[in-house]
Amino acid sequence: MLGIVGMYNRLSTNAACRHCGETVERVLQFKFGYCNLNDYVVGDSVDWAAGKRGHTLNHGEPVTGRAWVPAYAEEACPSCGIDFVLAEFAVVVDGDQLTGFEQATVGFHFPEENDVVLLPTATTAPTPVPG
């Protein structure tokens, strides 16, 4: 996995591989909240470090409303072995709660230039870009 360096958090989930279609267990690496290799599942609330060191341990800031952050599969698909080094996934948050994830279709990925992208109220999912 080349997409993320440094500390991050991990979201465990099941997802269909966009290449072979097999639904497999996946761990998604993302940077939001107190990044200390914390393990999460959908429905969990993200932890934030408090105190003087919080600004160096936290990635991003708490959001009001829905947003998404780019995410990367921790390992290649265990079924077909395909690995994707761009942000193939987006973890969706509502406030501090992890509400789900989206996976880009083949030929697309999620933009990586922003840490946290707010979703307009009427938007239900992040929009991937070609790549």
Side-chain angles (χ1 to χ4, degrees):
M1 180 51 245
L2 300 173
I4 288 186
V5 294
M7 296 299 276
Y8 51 87
N9 288 322
R10 305 167 76 230
L11 176 68
S12 297
T13 191
N14 290 320
C17 175
R18 65 187 198 168
H19 300 282
C20 71
E22 189 75 25
T23 297
V24 294
E25 290 183 32
R26 302 302 293 263
V27 175
L28 308 181
Q29 298 177 359
F30 67 98
K31 289 186 172 188
F32 182 68
Y34 173 41
C35 292
N36 194 33
L37 301 178
N38 297 315
D39 289 314
Y40 294 105
V41 295
V42 171
D44 286 345
S45 291
V46 174
D47 293 327
W48 294 92
K52 291 187 268 183
R53 291 182 4 132
H55 71 281
T56 60
L57 299 173
N58 291 328
H59 196 81
E61 297 179 0
V63 296
T64 301
R66 297 186 70 232
W68 65 270
V69 294
Y72 307 80
E74 190 165 274
E75 297 180 350
C77 172
S79 180
C80 69
I82 295 294
D83 195 10
F84 196 68
V85 297
L86 298 174
E88 175 181 10
F89 294 92
V91 172
V92 180
V93 298
D94 190 346
D96 290 336
Q97 186 177 26
L98 302 170
T99 60
F101 68 92
E102 295 291 329
Q103 185 175 21
T105 56
V106 174
F108 290 81
H109 67 92
F110 292 98
E112 300 166 327
E113 60 270 0
N114 295 319
D115 296 330
V116 178
V117 179
L118 292 175
L119 286 169
T121 305
T123 304
T124 59
T127 304
V129 296

